[in-house]
Amino acid sequence: MFSILKPLPTDPILGLMAAYRQDTNPNKIDLGVGVYKDELGNTPVLKAVKKAEAFRLENETSKSYIGLAGDLGFCSKIEQQLLGEHRALLANRVRTAQAPGGTGALRVAAEFVVRCNPNATVWVTTPTWANHISLFEAAGLTVKEYPYYDYENKGLLFDEMIETLKQVPKGDIVLLHACCHNPSGMDLNLEQWEIVADIAADVGFTPLVDIAYQGFGTGLDDDAAGLRLLADKVDELIICSSCSKNFGLYRERIGACSIISDTSAVADIANSVLLSVVRSIYSMPPAHGAAIVDTILGSNELTALWHEELAEMRDRINGLRSLIVDALNTETDQDFSFIKHQHGMFSFLGINKEQIERLQKEFGIYIVGSSRVNVAGISKANIDYFSKAVAEVLN
């Protein structure tokens, strides 16, 4: 059976990781992998997480399964973090299943959509996170793209986006990035979210909101503002969330898939289908990551500490954006000021593949082929080397 298989290409980012590890250049910089890094290039365990883990180690009494939906305390607190005091929560119209990471949540959502409408098309931004398309296609769904990022002007193709969304058939799914768009860093503003929400309500497509970076943009509530506007306007909504970035729990694989229905009774039916999907994929989610988040959000002291650490990460990223712009504008004759107007960990440099290859081969600077950079990979220690290298390949 296995002899008929053909080798598949390595995931570009995983390939970059391997090449970076093997590079002997002492000045090498990894700007490809999408994890937060501090000034020393480390991805630290948050102090709030350490305290929550110590509490869990002392107080955990069983290793039994936690159920199809996962940790119910976690699920409830994630709903509140996403939606605040939204009327959908007050009306008991929201159901949530813990999932193994944001990726797991997206796959659960994809299989849920197939149960609802196997002929649905999923519409994603151009560009979008590389794994989005393969996740939905693996579930048997058709994927199409709608205009989003303006590569030439380093902004949004909002008019083109709106014209396309107006033509999306009723019953299709439109994936929207809640904040910190991956890979461009370009987000919708509140006025634009209002327009998108009105179109969703008028046309009848179902929004699927991917919120993997809540708190990394401008704040926990601000980053969920577009999501909450959508929930105001549409009766049905799918939300896929992740705790990898904002809690720093990358390897714990902790996320959630939330469904908003138009009534509590329909939410119960949808939840039964959602849990059936979970059962057919991985049966029960792991406990550790959810217990950490539940412990943090269930403690005023740990929540306050987490808010401080989250703000520190966010402020560092935003400060690095200004640092990068100043350095590149000094070293080159191009205008990189657009980087300051974006949010989250990612931005496109806007350089070509030949220049990207030169950065890797000549300077040990690793960037994915689209020119997306992880802003958090820059530091005060390497900014001069980075900016001079970019200037060299541009010239």
Side-chain angles (χ1 to χ4, degrees), residues 188-233:
L188 301 174
N189 60 38
L190 282 181
E191 181 181 351
Q192 291 168 330
W193 273 109
E194 287 272 12
I195 295 171
V196 171
D198 285 338
I199 292 173
D202 291 342
V203 171
F205 62 73
T206 300
L208 191 165
V209 180
D210 187 354
I211 180 163
Y213 300 92
Q214 187 180 5
F216 263 45
T218 56
L220 285 167
D221 289 326
D222 290 343
D223 290 350
L227 164 63
R228 295 171 188 179
L229 277 174
L230 276 174
D232 285 339
K233 298 289 181 72

